[in-house]
Amino acid sequence: QVQLVESGGGLVQAGGSLKLSCAASGRTFASRTMGWFRQAPGKEREFVGFIRWSGGSTYYVDSVKGRFTISRDNAKNTVYLQMTNLKPEDTAVYYCAASGRTYYDSMRSSDYNYWGQGTQVTVSS
């Protein structure tokens, strides 16, 4: 089992920055792709990006490219989402997730079996 706990959410003005952390437990953390998703009120959960198990490869949805950066520190069992130049449309509950399989990356939420509790990010105009 993989347990995930997010932190770092909050209120920020448009154009500001925020860094989310996701602390993971489990002995297979370093072998799992970690994804970030978000869900705005009344909207479906959407994919934001992922970082491969090695940390060397990342992928982002077009709307956040150049603004969001995912990183991981396997020694600390932690994945990060650094968000810059935030926009009001970034407002959502952000979730980190671990892939259900080791050495498997995906942008599909159904491929992630372990989820954090979510942390609220609110971007004001």
Side-chain angles (χ1 to χ4, degrees):
Q1 291 290 104
V2 179
Q3 302 287 338
L4 306 174
V5 179
E6 295 187 16
S7 62
L11 176 65
V12 65
Q13 293 185 5
S17 300
L18 203 61
K19 187 174 184 178
L20 307 183
S21 298
C22 178
S25 64
R27 301 177 67 179
T28 60
F29 171 79
S31 301
R32 299 181 186 274
T33 291
M34 298 294 296
W36 284 95
F37 296 79
R38 65 186 182 185
Q39 187 169 18
K43 304 292 184 179
E44 296 292 324
R45 184 174 299 180
E46 66 172 338
F47 170 78
V48 174
F50 69 70
I51 184 167
R52 191 168 287 177
W53 52 88
S54 67
S57 297
T58 55
Y59 179 82
Y60 307 93
V61 69
D62 286 345
S63 61
V64 306
K65 285 182 179 178
R67 299 190 298 118
F68 289 11
T69 302
I70 302 173
S71 61
R72 70 190 297 165
D73 187 340
N74 288 346
K76 296 182 178 180
N77 283 357
T78 303
V79 63
Y80 305 94
L81 178 62
Q82 176 66 60
M83 303 180 291
T84 62
N85 192 24
L86 284 162
K87 304 175 181 179
E89 51 263 42
D90 294 319
T91 295
V93 176
Y94 283 72
Y95 300 89
C96 66
S99 64
R101 308 175 185 177
T102 57
Y103 305 108
Y104 184 84
D105 47 340
S106 173
M107 58 187 295
R108 297 166 53 194
S109 61
S110 60
D111 287 330
Y112 293 81
N113 285 4
Y114 309 99
W115 295 82
Q117 81 284 0
T119 185
Q120 177 70 48
V121 173
T122 302
V123 184
S124 62
S125 300

